[in-house]
Amino acid sequence: MILFSGIYPINADVRMDTMETEILQFVNDDRKQHDLTPLQLNVMESSLAFKHSQDMATGKVKFGHDGFNSRAKSIQKSVGAVEVGENVASGPMNAREVVDGWLNSPGHRKNIEGNFILTGIGYARDKKGNIYFTQIFSR
């Protein structure tokens, strides 16, 4: 089983990257405050999130949700999801700053606190050191 962490794939037996671990923890901390079930990390969704972040970092796609429908269809086929959401962010941020930014945005907060059960998290850096983050949600 392969998990994409930052820029490199790692064996799932190895610990997740700290940034991804912290994003998941901060998101689940918020969900807990609202009596919501914690999101479970999904390897396939994480690989799609990483790929999208990498595509934004390399300029293959512009910052945003380009290709979201394709990612959503892949998730629907793979895990039988009936709903898929996505948050993206960019900048020189740590995990707390990324999650705080999303929580201060109504649309992003709606995904974090939505009726989802699975998530995937990935990020990539561009040549200037800017970080592109993607979090995918599904149920």
Side-chain angles (χ1 to χ4, degrees):
M1 183 175 352
I2 298 292
L3 210 178
F4 285 90
S5 177
I7 301 179
Y8 348 86
I10 60 170
N11 186 306
D13 295 334
V14 177
R15 290 181 50 171
M16 265 179 47
D17 179 273
T18 301
M19 180 85 76
E20 294 161 345
T21 302
E22 290 178 353
I23 289 171
L24 181 61
Q25 184 63 54
F26 294 139
V27 164
N28 280 335
D29 288 348
D30 179 76
R31 290 178 63 84
K32 184 176 181 178
Q33 291 176 12
H34 294 90
D35 294 322
L36 299 168
T37 305
L39 297 173
Q40 298 299 310
L41 193 70
N42 178 275
V43 174
M44 187 269 229
E45 289 182 26
S46 289
S47 69
L48 291 173
F50 166 73
K51 175 79 167 81
H52 183 56
S53 293
Q54 187 177 48
D55 287 348
M56 290 187 293
T58 61
K60 185 174 180 180
V61 299
K62 64 182 180 179
F63 174 73
H65 300 282
D66 284 359
F68 172 72
N69 289 338
S70 176
R71 287 187 293 285
K73 285 179 185 174
S74 293
I75 293 164
Q76 289 166 341
K77 281 184 179 180
S78 176
V79 300
V82 296
E83 185 178 1
V84 179
E86 180 178 82
N87 287 352
V88 296
S90 175
M93 297 179 277
N94 63 36
R96 176 82 265 171
E97 292 166 327
V98 171
V99 174
D100 284 348
W102 285 335
L103 290 172
N104 286 314
S105 164
H108 295 100
R109 176 184 285 274
K110 183 178 176 184
N111 283 335
I112 289 173
E113 297 174 359
N115 185 22
F116 295 112
I117 57 172
L118 299 175
T119 192
I121 302 166
Y123 71 95
R125 294 178 194 272
D126 67 14
K127 292 178 182 178
K128 296 178 183 176
N130 292 315
I131 309 171
Y132 293 81
F133 301 89
T134 304
Q135 183 171 14
I136 297 173
F137 306 83
S138 71
R139 69 172 176 95

